Amino acid sequence: MKIFAPTTVKAGLFVVFVMTLVCLPFAIWGEEFVLPLLESRAQQTGALTMIAIALLACDSVAPIPATLVIMYLAAKAGWLAGIFGGTLGMSAGVLAAAWFGRTAVGRIAPKFFPEAELLRLRAALQSRLWLTLACLRSVPVLAETSVILAAAMGIPVGRIFCATLLPNLIVATIYSLAADDSWETAVITFLGTMVVSAGAWRLFGSRAPATDGGR
């Protein structure tokens, strides 16, 4: 029977710990309040867009179903509003998740790993930072978890923000255009996007260099 190295086990436990933190608000408060809040301003494009941006900005620390928010905004306010609000809100959410990862989770990380292991894990994550964050932007829970982990490992917030900006735009565009067609198409697009993300990781992950040269 294959026995995992202690570092691998600790890294796995740390990821599960962060995922639990992300999922905890859903378990405690649920997400039922989101749709009524959006519906209350469904006929006011500006107000609906601002509410959607605010909700997406809180995605990492509150029970916000980001996909539903973007789809609803696009369906009611149009695909342009969905792209604009979705991209801006998700990018604000990245900053919030990075702040939480650095100030809160980053203080806990040394309890899991000694300094030498933290440096090694940071280097490994940095070598595939852009690919990892891009592929996980459309995956619930893992999108927030990956950003929190990157910040907790000490990767600069600016690099995390830049690595997720274009993927946020792509995800917001895909969901907005799909939701403008029909909810059925949007659901299929959501599942398809996750499949493509997984495929991209498998295809390009093995080809990623061992280091990114400190970009």
Side-chain angles (χ1 to χ4, degrees):
M1 184 177 67
K2 183 177 180 180
I3 300 177
F4 295 102
T7 300
T8 302
V9 174
K10 287 188 290 185
L13 291 174
F14 189 59
V15 171
V16 171
F17 170 73
V18 176
M19 290 178 65
T20 302
L21 291 179
V22 173
C23 294
L24 198 58
F26 285 90
I28 297 176
W29 296 293
E31 59 186 51
E32 291 77 13
F33 71 95
V34 174
L35 189 57
L37 182 59
L38 293 170
E39 290 175 339
S40 68
R41 292 294 184 270
Q43 306 305 318
Q44 302 171 356
T45 300
L48 178 61
T49 302
M50 294 305 296
I51 290 176
I53 292 174
L55 288 172
L56 292 170
C58 299
D59 187 26
S60 61
V61 294
I64 308 298
T67 304
L68 182 149
V69 173
I70 296 173
M71 290 178 176
Y72 188 91
L73 175 61
K76 296 299 182 180
W79 61 272
L80 282 176
I83 294 172
F84 172 78
T87 303
L88 189 58
M90 291 177 68
S91 297
V94 167
L95 292 177
W99 173 83
F100 177 72
R102 170 154 294 188
T103 59
V105 181
R107 296 181 179 180
I108 302 174
K111 298 182 181 298
F112 283 79
F113 312 101
E115 182 64 23
E117 288 186 8
L118 278 176
L119 292 174
R120 188 178 65 80
L121 290 171
R122 182 188 308 164
L125 182 56
Q126 284 189 133
S127 69
R128 298 184 179 185
L129 181 67
W130 294 69
L131 177 63
T132 301
L133 296 184
C135 288
L136 294 179
R137 288 317 293 160
S138 64
V139 184
V141 179
L142 291 181
E144 298 82 15
T145 299
S146 60
V147 171
I148 293 173
L149 285 172
M153 291 292 111
I155 296 177
V157 175
R159 289 194 62 209
I160 297 173
F161 181 83
C162 291
T164 56
L165 187 57
L166 180 58
N168 285 341
L169 173 61
I170 293 173
V171 170
T173 300
I174 291 174
Y175 290 154
S176 296
L177 293 178
D180 195 50
D181 179 23
S182 69
W183 281 95
E184 291 78 9
T185 303
V187 172
I188 294 173
T189 301
F190 169 71
L191 296 175
T193 302
M194 288 197 295
V195 171
V196 171
S197 295
W201 171 255
R202 290 182 63 87
L203 177 63
F204 298 108
S206 60
R207 302 179 183 178
T211 177
D212 64 355
R215 282 185 304 169

